Amino acid sequence: MSTTTQRATGAPIVRVDGRAKVTGAAQYAYEYPLENMAYAWPVQSTIAKGRVESIDDSAALARPGVIAVLTPDNVARLQVDVELPLPFLAAAVPDLSLLQSREVAFRGQIVAAVIATSLEAAREGAGAVEVGYEEQAHDAVLRFDDDRAYVPGVVNDFSPGNVERGEADRAFAEAPVRIDATYSTPAEHAVPMEPHSATAAWDGDRLTIYNSDQGPFYSSLPISALFGLDPGQVEIVAEYVGGGFGSKAAPRPPTMLAALAARLVDRPVKVALNRPQSFSLTTYRTPTIQRLRLGAERDGRLAAIVHESVQQSSTLVEYTEQSVSSTRLLYAAPDVRTTARVRRLDVPTPGWLRAPGDAPGVYALESAVDELAVELGMDPIELRVRNEPDADPETGQPFSSRNLVGALREGAARFGWEGRDPAPASRREGNWLVGTGVAAAHYPALVFPSTAQARAEADGGFVVRVGAADIGTGARTVLTQVAADALDVPLERVRVDIGRASIGVAPFAGGSIGTASWSWAVEKACGALLDAVQEHGGVPPEGLEVQADTTEDVGALAEMSRGGYGAQFAEVRVDVDTGQIRVDRMLGVFATGRVLNPRTARSQIVGAMTMGLSMALMEIAEPDPEFGDFANHDLASYHVASNADVRDVDCVFLHEDDKNLNSIGGKGIGEIGIVGAAAAIANAVHHAIGLRVRDLPIRIEDVRPALQDLRVR
Amino acid sequence: MLQDDTRSEVSLRINGVDRTVGVDNRATLLDTLREGLGLTGAKKGCDHGQCGACTVLLDGRRVNSCLQLAVAADGGEVVTIEGVAGLEGGGDLHALQRAFLEHDALQCGYCTPGQICSALGAMAEAERGWPSHVTGDTSAGVAGAASLDAYEVRERMSGNICRCGAYGGIVAAVLEVAEADGGRS
Ligand code: FES
Ligand code: FES
């Protein structure tokens, strides 16, 4: 073994799977050519609530190429009352229990599916299935004052629905300076460019699914349980995943549809949702309506924060986002109450989308903080610095590290914040009004237990296996770097295999926990392998393999407040005549622990900031009160940022050496880039034109009324 | 070429190789490539002309292959991502593919084949002088790919959505290969 210390981690290594991606060789879930493949196409409910009374599949079955129609009558019975260890896996079960009941919970729900020998035939067949319904009255629209909304026991991050320290309502009422504002964020869709896809094949009681999946191991748990199988009987393969952003962090209906259809026709079946279907069947970010009350002293010190949020879920699953959670620790206010309420509607089930809860919640909080700064006549950066806590204000625990102030200061210097005239509508460039805004960002740094295997080959090569998924994050690359360093060999001698449930226990690529969790297991396995090689006096001809499990290490972590922090800056311009809003530049400064690969880390953060831009100005799924679900179902009516929308998006990482996180000292960077981005843009729009738009996205029609007055100036 | 009421035989020159394939008359060029010919490099992101993931070059021009019926492309010459390296005479990667890697112009990689084919088409359009929506003097057009600036590249590449948000890297990669200086941003 060489004694030189490699330092692959920290270097801007080019993606190890980049070549496969730029040449088209990378294989995604729908691209496994199995013998005798059939295609399934879902039939979706056209009512929002009620019951399927009849399904006439005769016309569909008469079409050439149609093999079968999957209905509640011929579908395999699933163990729908299974218990699963992790609550978020249990939450996936109702939507995975396809065709097990005839009840319709939302428009777009799968009520049947056509299986055919070609895609064209399956699609045409689906159009020929006649479904009769008994329709009931539905409600698909969220309202803030809906008294059927309730406070759940716990929300998605396991914190209670209602949390109070001190007497926040009284302290607010007594505060000399008060902000009381209500913000709303719409339903938003993940829209990964690869639609949710699955190819399923049975071999007796063994099921293999090539799945577009953020967490192959976790996914194998509900799927095996629903079929009454052991987890080991279900293999999930997710070698390449075309984005997910949370929407693929649990298996969704298309995965189960492929498995059930393959079961019925006894041959491999593949399913790829088309874009309109994916809007109903793959979860979405819940809309939120949030009321923020900030009470402050005249010097800017926060006395009270009350953050209330109402969100929606389906009648199938209680899913409540943690939209109020970051509010409890971003600022040092003595009296704080956060309340999340959920209203169960006749809508598709919402779920995770990049920084669930925090993206909409911090948007509202950081907009309110900006409003407070304006009210106080204080610089918004100074206001935030003044409220910086020494320890976690919620728990009293020490921060493992926290550098929000450093991020704000560094960002201010790089962005050119100094000398900013805070007066709204004070900067005019020709036909444009220009403004700048800032917001804080936070996302928790969690780590989950993982396993990994490391193998030494007699030829000097190493193979490391971990059940990770690389959905574009660069995980495959970073894990290779981590393994190379742990083994103290050059990168070229290490191959990292990921993307299979059968590799063993491993968390998903979600919640910014993936890389930190997998790396720990990889590092531990590699260390154990080196010990084993030494014990053996070298690598035997048949090779040497060890396994590592970080369950105990993760359990032994000291109680601390762990999270990444950042500062988002944006400059926008608004056309005084047309109301067109452009984002000239965005800068994010992040304190997220050690950066393992600056090249891929930057891409991840810039990508998330871009999604934040999109959230601020474009994205909205319009609820359809009449027919249920959403009215817009494709990329022409649901807009996401295109190339021309995105000008200069830049990010900087602050050096941060945190020994109390995990083995690699990184905090996870999948989500934090979107947190605060929309608030920075909304605050910049206010600075540009003096109008506070409190409902996302901010559109031309929202700003035009304010421009009328400004035009004559 | 019509075989019966529902199927036809279509001849295409794909990545320099003549292929004949039986297709369902309803099949798009995209599904024919992916399902019929095993060329899965072209991706399906929307099947609707709204995302660009399926972009290939057909007779030298970029097209959304999900909007082309295979029967209508009969006799055409198609370049997919699998054939892009071959355009430069058989190196293992095209300069644009190398630039994508270098600028990390991708994350999940699903939009990437479409981005690369689209960029090749866009550069060829600029070589022909075609203006875009942001070209100052649309009647004069542009003086070749090397004259493009970031503003032009962003506009011309806006038919290709990248949800991962790799736009900055994509623009840098295209400018590098177009030997343009980026100019006005
Ligand atoms: S798949 Fe053709 S444009 Fe989206
Ligand atoms: S790289 Fe993922 S969509 Fe572009």
Side-chain angles (χ1 to χ4, degrees), chain A residues 384-424:
Chain A
R384 289 178 172 90
V385 171
R386 185 149 306 172
N387 288 288
E388 175 70 10
D390 300 327
D392 187 314
E394 182 181 10
T395 60
Q397 288 169 358
F399 293 110
S400 69
S401 60
R402 163 166 166 144
N403 201 359
L404 173 57
V405 171
L408 288 163
R409 296 267 188 244
E410 179 73 19
R414 288 176 182 257
F415 192 73
W417 188 263
E418 207 181 321
R420 169 187 189 258
D421 180 350

Side-chain angles (χ1 to χ4, degrees), chain B residues 33-118:
Chain B
L33 292 169
R34 285 172 61 79
E35 305 301 320
L37 295 164
L39 291 168
T40 54
K43 302 302 182 198
K44 185 185 286 188
C46 70
D47 212 15
H48 228 66
Q50 296 172 343
C51 76
C54 62
T55 308
V56 301
L57 300 172
L58 175 61
D59 298 327
R61 294 188 180 174
R62 52 178 172 166
V63 297
N64 287 334
S65 62
C66 71
L67 294 184
Q68 296 277 325
L69 289 172
V71 290
D74 188 35
E77 172 147 15
V78 179
V79 177
T80 69
I81 191 68
E82 289 92 343
V84 161
L87 294 177
E88 279 192 336
D92 68 337
L93 288 180
H94 187 282
L96 190 58
Q97 291 170 314
R98 278 198 300 274
F100 263 61
L101 291 177
E102 195 48 47
H103 291 281
D104 208 35
L106 66 149
Q107 292 183 49
C108 76
Y110 199 78
C111 75
T112 310
Q115 301 280 2
I116 289 173
C117 290
S118 187

Side-chain angles (χ1 to χ4, degrees), chain A residues 192-194 242-243 245 471-472, chain B residues 105-112 115 161-166 170:
Chain A
M193 290 320 300
E194 180 201 20
F245 313 111
I471 60 171
Chain B
L106 66 149
Q107 292 183 49
C108 76
Y110 199 78
C111 75
T112 310
Q115 301 280 2
I161 294 175
C162 176
R163 186 57 159 163
C164 295
I170 292 166

Side-chain angles (χ1 to χ4, degrees), chain A residues 14-15 18-19 21-24 26-28 30-31 39 118-121 123-124 189-195 240-243 245 270 274-276 353-354 470-473 599-600 603-604 606-608 610-611 614 619 634-638 640-648, chain B residues 6 24 26-28 31-32 34-35 40-48 50-53 81-84 92-93 96-98 100-113 115-116 150-151 153-155 157-168 170-171 185:
Chain A
V14 172
R15 284 171 202 270
R19 173 175 287 257
K21 290 177 178 176
V22 300
T23 57
Q27 231 176 345
Y28 297 81
Y30 200 71
E31 299 169 356
Y39 299 77
S118 76
L119 187 58
E120 293 80 15
R123 184 173 192 167
E124 182 168 335
H189 288 273
V191 192
M193 290 320 300
E194 180 201 20
Y240 288 92
V241 182
F245 313 111
K270 61 180 177 176
N274 74 357
R275 197 49 76 178
L353 205 178
R354 205 168 211 165
D470 188 332
I471 60 171
T473 58
R599 186 190 305 258
T600 55
S603 290
Q604 226 184 332
V606 165
T610 301
M611 206 180 259
S614 200
E619 294 185 38
D634 63 19
L635 295 170
S637 52
Y638 184 90
V640 302
S642 74
N643 204 322
D645 296 313
V646 181
R647 293 180 175 177
D648 175 3
Chain B
T6 62
D24 187 310
R26 299 165 295 188
T28 60
D31 285 329
T32 301
R34 285 172 61 79
E35 305 301 320
T40 54
K43 302 302 182 198
K44 185 185 286 188
C46 70
D47 212 15
H48 228 66
Q50 296 172 343
C51 76
I81 191 68
E82 289 92 343
V84 161
D92 68 337
L93 288 180
L96 190 58
Q97 291 170 314
R98 278 198 300 274
F100 263 61
L101 291 177
E102 195 48 47
H103 291 281
D104 208 35
L106 66 149
Q107 292 183 49
C108 76
Y110 199 78
C111 75
T112 310
Q115 301 280 2
I116 289 173
Y151 200 55
V153 172
R154 284 198 287 260
E155 176 66 26
M157 290 299 293
S158 278
N160 291 79
I161 294 175
C162 176
R163 186 57 159 163
C164 295
Y167 295 129
I170 292 166
V171 172
S185 69

